[in-house]
Amino acid sequence: MTDIILYDYWRSSASYRVRIALNLKGVAYKAVNTSLLDGGQKAPEYVARNPQGFVPMLSIDGHDLTQSLAIIDYLDAKYDDPPMVSRDPVERTKTLAQALVIAADIHPVNNLRILKYLKDELRQEQESIDNWYRHWIGEGFAALEAMAPETGLFGGVQPNLADVCLIPQMYNARRFATDMSPFPKLARIDAACNEREAFRKAVPEAVKPA
C-alpha cells in the first residue's frame, strides 16, 4: 500500500486542521516537514506538484491534494466516520459557514506571508502587526461566538469541520495574547476538543521536528 504523506509545517494552522481530521478518522500518514521559514514550500520540486507553494499538501491515492478544506472534504468522502459535515443540506451549510469564518475570513489575512509582508514591505512595527492579528481574530470570533451552541461542540457530541477549524485558530489566538474573555463558548469548545487524543496528537508542539 502506498504511504499517505502529509507535507506539513508544524505551526501552520491549515496543516493543523488536516492533522486533526486525519487523526479523527484514524488515517495513518507520514509527515514530511516543509518549513515555511526555510522556504521549503517554494522549492521547485514542491511547486511543480503544488503551484501555490503552500502547505499542507496530502499525497494520497496517487493524487497531490492541496487546500486544507478541500483535503478534508476528500477525506470525508473516503473515510466517512466520523463525518465532518452533515448530510442534511441545511446543517451542512451551517457547518461550512462556521468553518469559513475561520478559513476564508480570519486565516487568510493573518497567515505568515501576510505578516511578513506587513513587516518587510510595509515596515510595520511588531506591535502594529500583533494588533492587526488580534483585530481580525476578534472580529471573526465575535461572529463565531454568536453561532456557537450553548452546550457541546459545534458538531454536538462529536467534532465536525467547524471544530476542526476552530481549534488551530484558538491556538493562534493564545499565541498572540488575544483577550478570550468575550468568547466563553469558544473557550469551552476548545477545552473539550483538546481533551481528545486526536486533537492532542495534532498540536504543533506534538509534531514539531526535533
Side-chain angles (χ1 to χ4, degrees), residues 156-202:
V157 176
Q158 295 296 329
N160 69 6
L161 181 63
D163 299 298
V164 167
C165 288
L166 174 66
I167 273 47
Q169 198 62 62
M170 293 288 285
Y171 176 93
N172 289 342
R174 290 191 295 270
R175 277 185 62 214
F176 281 82
T178 305
D179 178 11
M180 298 303 295
S181 61
F183 316 117
K185 290 189 285 186
L186 300 186
R188 184 199 73 239
I189 292 169
D190 179 57
C193 284
N194 281 308
E195 291 178 357
R196 296 170 181 252
E197 184 180 13
F199 287 84
R200 292 198 305 270
K201 287 172 58 179

Side-chain angles (χ1 to χ4, degrees), residues 50-203:
N50 180 354
Q52 277 192 295
F54 292 167
V55 294
M57 178 171 72
L58 187 69
S59 179
I60 183 172
D61 300 334
H63 305 290
D64 290 328
L65 307 180
T66 62
Q67 290 288 347
S68 61
L69 266 62
I71 293 170
I72 294 170
D73 183 66
Y74 181 91
L75 294 172
D76 213 29
K78 185 176 175 67
Y79 308 98
D80 59 4
D81 186 34
M84 293 291 96
V85 294
S86 172
R87 292 188 177 184
D88 176 83
V90 173
E91 291 304 314
R92 175 187 173 89
T93 300
K94 286 181 181 178
T95 298
L96 287 171
Q98 292 157 355
L100 287 167
V101 170
I102 295 168
D105 295 331
I106 300 175
H107 177 237
V109 296
N110 275 351
N111 68 21
L112 182 60
R113 66 194 180 105
I114 301 300
L115 302 184
K116 288 181 69 176
Y117 188 85
L118 289 170
K119 184 173 185 177
D120 298 340
E121 302 298 328
L122 300 184
R123 306 295 184 186
Q124 294 297 305
E125 298 293 333
Q126 190 61 48
E127 182 180 1
S128 295
I129 294 170
D130 291 350
N131 286 335
W132 165 283
Y133 200 103
R134 287 188 288 265
H135 170 80
W136 298 115
I137 286 182
E139 189 172 275
F141 275 10
L144 278 175
E145 180 73 12
M147 297 176 184
E150 294 297 330
T151 60
L153 310 177
F154 276 106
V157 176
Q158 295 296 329
N160 69 6
L161 181 63
D163 299 298
V164 167
C165 288
L166 174 66
I167 273 47
Q169 198 62 62
M170 293 288 285
Y171 176 93
N172 289 342
R174 290 191 295 270
R175 277 185 62 214
F176 281 82
T178 305
D179 178 11
M180 298 303 295
S181 61
F183 316 117
K185 290 189 285 186
L186 300 186
R188 184 199 73 239
I189 292 169
D190 179 57
C193 284
N194 281 308
E195 291 178 357
R196 296 170 181 252
E197 184 180 13
F199 287 84
R200 292 198 305 270
K201 287 172 58 179
V203 298

